[in-house]
Amino acid sequence: MMASRLPMAAAPTLATPQKINVIQGEYHVSADSNVMLTTVLGSCVSTCLHDPVAGVGGMNHFLLAEQTGRGTEDAMRYGAYAMEMLINGMLKLGARRERFQAKLFGGARMMAGLSDVGADNARFALKFIEDEGFVLTGHSLGGTAARRVEFWPSSGRARQRLNVAEEPAAAPPKVPVKVDLGEVELF
Amino acid sequence: MPAASSLKVLVVDDQLTMRALVRSGLQQIGVTQIQEAADGEDALRMVVERPVNLILSDYNMPKMDGLGLLRAVRTYGPTSKIAFIMLTGRADTDLVKRAAQFGVNNYLVKPFTVQGLRGKIEQVFGALT
């Protein structure tokens, strides 16, 4: 007697997830659902843009003051350029700026006593998003902790991990208190 | 030696932030007659109605890009002599070559400084007063 043969179900094809690190001064855009963009931010700011209709997204990573050191307007021109590169990359993949949704991360105060470059970066990014009329769907800016941000460009999902001790910038306690905030799904 | 205040300049960029920064840079070098357009089509309509001395235009824009604007301006008699400076990214060497073929007067690489902006305008018009 022949054994009955069950039809074989097709094995699911799972593409290997691709992790792309976006370093300072660079950007990356993608419509690939297997791509995850990641970066580590101190006082730098990262903009994560997403077009939910086109399924396109991208991330940049910039720092205003240290890039130019020639005053506020030079710094802003650098920031606007960093944003423009990301936007143009998105448009080339079929995104439309009227559908842009933005998430902003970073801008921490990493060293007490120095000028708050992180706050300048965060302020610039928030004003840029508002001026250009993009929808701000989430942000985590400021504080004193470095962040690792992960962003899935095709879905627009983002999460961050705060991986540095939260300490007051002005008057640190005698015994530093480590706060492990773990991995936090934000949006 | 033209007076900066006598120059009529049209700034064309789809980013409001960039237009504001270019306008501010122009004001710092003494230019007062500044108009803005958010894309090539609007810019073309504006210069046909009210001619300017200089167009400072981005390349990547919706509807009509900077190269399209340059070609349109150069092929229409009344606007064909308008000075045209293209704002480009760092890696856009091919764009600069194509723009040169269509008669661009100069190009300015972003992010630019006010001194850089002034220098490029002076290369076209001579020293500004």
Side-chain angles (χ1 to χ4, degrees), chain B residues 27-128:
Chain B
Q27 287 169 338
Q28 286 174 54
I29 60 178
V31 178
T32 54
Q33 302 181 69
I34 305 164
Q35 299 177 68
E36 293 179 21
D39 61 68
E41 275 186 15
D42 278 353
L44 189 58
R45 207 172 299 122
M46 288 170 76
V47 293
V48 166
E49 286 171 10
R50 285 196 352 199
V52 295
N53 306 107
L54 169 65
I55 296 171
L56 264 169
S57 177
D58 183 30
Y59 167 62
N60 277 297
M61 293 181 292
K63 296 189 210 170
M64 180 189 282
D65 66 19
L67 215 50
L69 174 61
L70 172 63
R71 293 174 68 172
V73 163
R74 286 288 177 262
T75 50
Y76 178 61
T79 60
S80 61
K81 302 292 183 202
I82 296 175
F84 199 111
I85 296 178
M86 189 82 81
L87 295 161
T88 74
R90 286 174 194 147
D92 290 339
T93 47
D94 286 343
L95 166 63
V96 172
K97 285 178 192 164
R98 280 192 291 156
Q101 288 170 355
F102 293 119
V104 80
N105 295 85
N106 215 329
Y107 67 96
L108 178 62
V109 178
K110 290 187 274 189
F112 60 89
T113 61
V114 174
Q115 291 88 341
L117 175 64
R118 183 186 189 109
K120 294 288 184 176
I121 294 174
E122 289 188 332
Q123 282 173 14
V124 176
F125 291 97
L128 297 174

